[in-house]
Amino acid sequence: MKLKFTQVKTVEEIAEVARLAAEIWREYYVSIISMEQIEYMIGKYQAVPAITDQIRHQDYEYYLIHSADSSTVGYMSVRQEEDKLFLSKFYISKEQRGRGYASQAMVFLEELCKNRSLSHIWLTVNRHNESSIAVYEKKGYRTVREQIADIGNGFVMDDYIMEKEISVS
């Protein structure tokens, strides 16, 4: 099924991302981090005011991911940083996983890079998020370093930084 990627611009689209984030994060991350940290991170990074600020003041681009029947299956967020693209968020709803959507999303991201002459895509992924790490490795990403970031309120993000080189020719 061919996906459509719609850049988030309206208040309604931002609200849709926030709704999806709350649903997906509570379902997915509960086996990796505490519910307290999940709630803190949703509020800090994925609530309507946070997403609005990221789009308007921090140069993030959010995209809703739609299936052929126009239902929303996930979302992603990126930010261009010099000659690289930072993949900040990439989430697919539970019932939509395993349908090849990650592959289509990666093609979309690589096309963004090629159109902007960017040489790499990089991301952070929780070191205990084995299924996502496996997907990224399958798509050609490699771990380049580890990072522990204090995000406040006594919480840290314990991540790998992964990167993929993009051929811009």
Side-chain angles (χ1 to χ4, degrees):
M1 189 181 306
K2 183 85 169 130
L3 295 179
K4 181 176 149 198
F5 300 87
T6 306
Q7 188 168 356
V8 172
K9 295 184 179 197
T10 69
V11 172
E12 294 80 15
E13 290 167 335
I14 291 170
E16 175 71 359
V17 170
R19 183 197 65 74
L20 269 173
E23 174 187 307
I24 294 169
W25 283 44
R26 288 181 180 118
E27 170 269 319
Y28 187 81
Y29 282 108
V30 73
S31 64
I32 300 172
I33 58 177
S34 71
M35 190 55 80
E36 292 79 20
Q37 183 168 346
I38 292 167
E39 295 300 329
Y40 174 75
M41 291 178 73
I42 290 170
K44 183 169 181 158
Y45 301 112
Q46 293 292 264
V48 168
I51 296 167
T52 302
D53 182 68
Q54 290 166 34
I55 292 170
R56 291 189 181 155
H57 305 292
Q58 298 178 47
D59 298 323
Y60 282 88
E61 300 167 36
Y62 274 79
Y63 294 89
L64 286 167
I65 305 170
H66 302 282
S67 65
D69 68 1
S70 296
S71 61
T72 304
V73 300
Y75 72 99
M76 66 173 77
S77 169
V78 297
R79 182 175 69 195
Q80 187 171 325
E81 299 178 345
E82 296 181 19
D83 67 336
K84 295 183 179 184
L85 188 70
F86 172 47
L87 175 56
S88 175
K89 313 278 184 301
F90 176 44
Y91 298 101
I92 302 290
S93 297
K94 181 179 182 175
E95 60 277 359
Q96 301 296 330
R97 293 181 202 138
R99 299 183 180 192
Y101 293 162
S103 295
Q104 290 185 57
M106 292 301 153
V107 169
F108 172 78
L109 293 172
E110 289 178 24
E111 287 301 315
L112 271 182
C113 287
K114 289 175 183 177
N115 292 339
R116 299 174 186 189
S117 299
L118 305 177
S119 64
H120 292 80
I121 300 172
W122 73 278
L123 57 91
T124 60
V125 60
N126 184 290
R127 286 200 274 192
H128 304 291
N129 190 346
E130 295 171 3
S131 61
S132 291
I133 292 167
V135 168
Y136 290 127
E137 287 175 342
K138 183 178 177 185
K139 301 298 176 199
Y141 289 77
R142 61 182 182 81
T143 301
V144 294
R145 64 184 182 278
E146 299 176 8
Q147 162 181 293
I148 297 177
D150 183 339
I151 59 169
N153 216 37
F155 299 116
V156 297
M157 292 194 308
D158 187 7
D159 295 332
Y160 289 128
I161 295 175
M162 300 183 80
E163 186 173 88
K164 180 177 183 176
E165 188 171 349
I166 304 301
S167 173
V168 292
S169 56

